[in-house]
Amino acid sequence: GHIFFGAAAERQHEAEIHLGRQRFDNIKRLLSETEPGLDLDEVPLEAGIDPTDAGLTKGDLMVLYLAWLTDMALKALKNTIQDFAPDLLTKYPDPCAVTRRFAIPCFEHAVDDVPSFVRAKWADQVMKSAFMRAQIIADTLGSKWGDLSAVEAKAALRCVRTADLTTLKLFCTPHSIREPVAAGATRFRDFIEEGPEQARARRLMLVVDAGAGTTGFALF
């Protein structure tokens, strides 16, 4: 009844692929194909993904994955600061308190999903709720990813689902950013010239984000 994350999940899947076991690994497709308005916290998982009777849902696994990703990212951030800029820890002793936000596909402009604005609003609310709960789960289960049972995970998820998160100080920004804009915010070393400010040329940069089911673009 254990849950596997990341590379461990891939190895487990490959070892049991002959049994028809599935992987839960595409949140974008879940948001793209689910009927808008559906409560993912009430949608049960297929037996091929969860053979236990813990009662985990698709909404639960979305929160669990985002919690694991949050925890991994914050640990990596802290290690990077310690290795390359330890003086920052004097001013900012808790890197886990860094503000973060989530990126989301450009659902509102989809030409093959009408009315697309309905899916966009629903998906944004789903991600906002999952993202906020994920911080609590990350803080709760951060030391248990390698030995987490489905029953233990469900108990934590059930508690955080009913908790009043407005009483807590959360560091996630409950406002999304579009995927191509997020990609363009990254500094592309091969594209932006190094050197004195006056020597840098002003250029246009087009970011095309072609993913699993959606394609978005942004011009900078």
Side-chain angles (χ1 to χ4, degrees):
H2 286 87
I3 301 175
F4 297 87
F5 298 87
E10 292 183 351
R11 289 193 296 270
Q12 186 76 7
H13 176 249
E14 291 171 359
E16 299 193 8
I17 196 169
H18 62 286
L19 300 177
R21 295 292 302 277
Q22 301 166 268
R23 261 189 351 214
F24 185 89
D25 63 356
N26 199 324
I27 291 179
K28 182 188 289 189
R29 179 165 294 169
L30 178 65
L31 295 176
S32 300
E33 298 179 354
T34 300
E35 185 68 25
L38 197 63
D39 185 357
L40 294 178
D41 290 327
E42 299 295 337
V43 181
L45 292 166
E46 298 86 347
I49 295 179
D50 176 23
T52 74
D53 59 354
L56 289 169
T57 66
K58 291 186 176 181
D60 287 336
L61 284 204
M62 177 183 288
V63 173
L64 264 183
Y65 171 75
L66 291 174
W68 174 78
L69 183 64
T70 295
D71 191 51
M72 294 297 103
L74 292 177
K75 287 175 179 175
L77 174 64
K78 184 175 183 178
N79 290 337
T80 300
I81 292 175
Q82 288 174 336
D83 291 341
F84 297 101
D87 292 345
L88 279 178
L89 293 176
T90 302
K91 186 176 182 180
Y92 305 104
D94 186 10
C96 289
V98 65
T99 303
R100 56 259 189 189
R101 64 172 59 190
F102 62 90
I104 200 167
C106 302
F107 287 126
E108 66 268 45
H109 301 303
V111 296
D112 60 344
D113 190 20
V114 180
S116 57
F117 69 88
V118 174
R119 179 176 301 283
K121 183 177 181 180
W122 168 77
D124 202 72
Q125 289 301 313
V126 168
M127 282 295 297
K128 177 181 176 181
S129 173
F131 195 60
M132 294 177 69
R133 286 181 283 167
Q135 178 181 329
I136 310 301
I137 297 298
D139 293 341
T140 303
L141 303 178
S143 62
K144 301 179 180 180
W145 300 123
D147 190 33
L148 180 65
S149 71
V151 173
E152 187 177 16
K154 183 63 181 182
L157 288 159
R158 187 183 293 114
C159 287
V160 77
R161 186 179 175 188
T162 58
D164 181 9
L165 301 187
T166 61
T167 64
L168 303 175
K169 181 179 180 181
L170 300 177
F171 299 103
C172 48
T173 303
H175 302 291
S176 62
I177 184 172
R178 296 299 173 262
E179 283 183 334
V181 176
T186 305
R187 190 169 186 267
F188 295 97
R189 292 186 179 276
D190 293 337
F191 191 87
I192 302 176
E193 293 183 21
E194 299 288 349
E197 188 68 33
Q198 62 271 21
R200 296 180 188 175
R202 197 171 164 82
R203 299 181 178 179
L204 293 177
M205 179 170 62
L206 177 67
V207 176
V208 180
D209 178 21
T214 62
T215 300
F217 67 90
L219 180 65
F220 301 85

